[in-house]
Amino acid sequence: MAGVTFTQNLRGEYERLFNSCIIRAERADTVAGIITALLTDRPRYQAVEDELGVPWFFVSVIHNMESGRDFHCHLHNGDPLTVRTTHEPSGRPRRGNPPFTWEESARDALSIKGLGAGTDWSLAGTLYQLERYNGWGYRLYHTHVLSPYLWSFSNHYRSGKYVADGTWSDTAVSKQCGAAVLLRRMAESNLIGFSDQPGPSEDEAPLVVRHSNTKSGNPEVVRSAENLQEWLNTFAGIFVKKDGVPGDRTSAAYRKVTGLYLPGDPRA
């Protein structure tokens, strides 16, 4: 399959999609459960990062996508470690003899993609490598659908997927949580960061206002609450009064969109 060049336009697209990604509220618990499981196995992913320079969180979400976090399967495509891979890419690893360890398989899977410490692991670079890992079929042949490998369980994806190698369905819906969606929740939870996306300094105002049923005397806080309410009102079925008070209704609307109450809400 033809490749896709990592252009400046593509970089901007990935950044816009990630920054506007909203995890569907009904999927929030599932996403949280996956991340908890990935964090439990972080030492194994971290060992791969220490050896190859591939970020642990990239390895972890690939592992979730390819084999549902099963350490008895190849990182390439989820085939069993008791034999060389039979699905694409087939015959891997070429060196050594089965059964392979998961670490041997991971080393091979990442190396044949040319991934390592010298790879661009910026936010956009990471998303590019995730889409490249799965293949460019969506981007090249089904441009009306953003790859569910990245965006399933978010506002960026509804339906359309390959149900088998080379077999497309417009109505099929991915049942897996997209890799970029997992990274988004990890970033929201301050579990990961990207070198080109520095977080706010400690003395900056919070990005999301804290829950309060009274109007703040600080004009900046009121303005932030109004901006939040204006943003919430862009979603169908949500009607929040733009009054600068981040109270119960605003917090409930925020939960409806993101799956989380505002910080400080006693219902959280």
Side-chain angles (χ1 to χ4, degrees), residues 33-67:
I34 294 171
I35 291 174
T36 297
L38 295 178
L39 291 174
T40 299
D41 292 321
R42 178 173 175 173
R44 297 190 75 169
Y45 305 133
Q46 186 66 53
V48 175
E49 176 177 351
D50 294 343
E51 179 181 355
L52 299 180
V54 178
W56 73 268
F57 51 84
F58 180 90
V59 180
S60 74
V61 296
I62 290 291
H63 191 214
N64 183 70
M65 297 303 297
E66 297 297 336
S67 65

Side-chain angles (χ1 to χ4, degrees), residues 15-241:
E15 290 178 349
R16 287 192 299 274
L17 288 170
F18 193 83
N19 290 334
S20 61
C21 177
I22 299 170
I23 298 168
R24 297 188 182 282
E26 69 273 16
R27 297 294 194 178
D29 289 345
T30 300
V31 174
I34 294 171
I35 291 174
T36 297
L38 295 178
L39 291 174
T40 299
D41 292 321
R42 178 173 175 173
R44 297 190 75 169
Y45 305 133
Q46 186 66 53
V48 175
E49 176 177 351
D50 294 343
E51 179 181 355
L52 299 180
V54 178
W56 73 268
F57 51 84
F58 180 90
V59 180
S60 74
V61 296
I62 290 291
H63 191 214
N64 183 70
M65 297 303 297
E66 297 297 336
S67 65
R69 307 181 305 279
D70 190 338
F71 283 98
H72 298 93
C73 298
H74 284 288
L75 188 64
H76 308 71
N77 53 23
D79 285 345
L81 290 172
T82 51
V83 295
R84 300 187 197 280
T85 58
T86 56
H87 294 86
E88 185 65 27
S90 61
R92 307 298 309 196
R94 291 190 179 149
R95 296 183 178 180
N97 295 302
F100 298 99
T101 66
W102 180 83
E103 284 74 15
E104 288 173 325
S105 173
R107 188 182 305 119
D108 184 74
L110 298 169
S111 295
I112 63 175
K113 293 290 188 181
L115 301 176
T119 302
D120 179 355
W121 294 116
S122 63
L123 168 58
T126 299
L127 299 184
Y128 172 81
Q129 294 300 341
L130 284 173
E131 188 167 359
R132 174 174 171 251
Y133 199 97
N134 181 239
W136 300 112
Y138 293 92
R139 184 172 292 277
L140 293 177
Y141 308 120
H142 303 281
T143 56
H144 62 296
V145 176
L146 293 172
S147 172
Y149 196 87
L150 273 69
W151 305 112
S152 180
F153 286 19
S154 82
N155 58 318
H156 295 321
Y157 174 80
R158 289 196 177 276
S159 66
K161 71 183 294 287
Y162 285 97
V163 294
D165 287 347
T167 303
W168 174 261
S169 169
D170 261 328
T171 58
V173 178
S174 173
K175 297 180 180 179
Q176 285 185 294
C177 177
V181 171
L182 290 172
L183 295 185
R184 170 74 193 202
R185 182 62 92 214
M186 288 182 184
E188 290 172 352
S189 305
N190 202 31
L191 296 171
I192 64 170
F194 302 92
S195 59
D196 65 318
Q197 304 284 320
S201 61
E202 291 185 1
D203 58 350
E204 287 187 270
L207 296 178
V208 177
V209 293
R210 290 185 61 80
H211 172 269
S212 175
N213 283 314
T214 59
K215 196 166 189 175
S216 173
N218 185 335
E220 289 298 320
V221 174
V222 174
R223 189 176 301 112
S224 294
E226 289 175 342
N227 289 340
L228 174 63
Q229 291 165 338
E230 185 173 331
W231 174 74
L232 288 170
N233 282 322
T234 64
F235 293 91
I238 293 183
F239 309 97
V240 179
K241 183 178 181 181

